[in-house]
Amino acid sequence: MIPRNRPVINEADIAQQAGVPIATWRRRDAPAFRQRVASLFPRSRILIYDLAQARAYLAGKPIPTLPTGEHPDDLLNDEEAAALLGVTASTVRAYATQGYISAGKTLYSLRVWPRGDLEERRNNPPGQGKGGGRPPGTGKGPRKAHAYEGDPRLHTATAALSAAGDTPRHHIAASLAQQHGGSTRTWERLLTQASQTSTPD
């Protein structure tokens, strides 16, 4: 996560600021640097660091601490966005392509999305509630097959149904509401739609 949409830097630019070739920097300087400055996305193959922290390290100054807690301007990668929406990382990328969430922005080849945008979509899925649908006159393409089409929670509801066995549906809904937020009644509707969607005609 990039907290508060802070400026970032990658290792190639760090090496350039240090005045050494990237290969030399990675061999000679990177191990010590990585011990002091943590990558903002430690599970990603693309290593990005907070710019202020990297510059402080290069200047031999104390490393500033990053803001803590959640903020709407935090930038999340596909895995973090997936955890927030209750879907898979590949589904997040598909949502961005389909327009269900914003296209996000690209930083050093890494696609990221503002937490606030993702939470808005999670809390107001297309066609649901205030601000949930497209503004009048802006609809494109065919109408949705059902009210919850494109709702990332539908995937979560489908997975819960398949794993629940004979558990009563209202118990499943209550558990999902506790885990993911929202009302039990909303999750009951999502479970009903999930069961209808997953049943062949």
Side-chain angles (χ1 to χ4, degrees), residues 3 41 43 52 62 67 81 92 115 129 177 183 187:
F41 297 101
R43 295 175 56 186
V92 169
R115 181 189 299 276
S183 68
W187 280 106

Side-chain angles (χ1 to χ4, degrees), residues 47-137:
L47 298 178
I48 294 178
Y49 304 90
D50 182 78
L51 179 61
Q53 288 190 330
R55 285 181 171 170
Y57 176 91
L58 293 175
K61 297 179 179 179
I63 308 299
T65 58
L66 296 177
T68 58
E70 297 181 353
H71 189 276
D73 291 338
D74 295 340
L75 297 179
L76 312 185
N77 68 0
D78 54 0
E79 290 188 351
E80 293 168 334
L84 189 151
L85 294 175
V87 298
T88 64
S90 60
T91 300
V92 169
R93 295 190 294 271
Y95 283 167
T97 300
Q98 297 163 1
Y100 290 131
I101 62 174
S102 69
K105 61 190 295 187
T106 301
L107 299 172
Y108 292 113
S109 302
L110 185 70
R111 182 71 65 85
V112 292
W113 291 266
R115 181 189 299 276
D117 289 359
L118 296 169
E119 290 179 338
E120 173 68 18
R121 174 51 67 218
R122 180 193 64 189
N123 298 334
N124 296 288
Q128 294 298 307
K130 183 178 179 181
R134 291 190 179 97

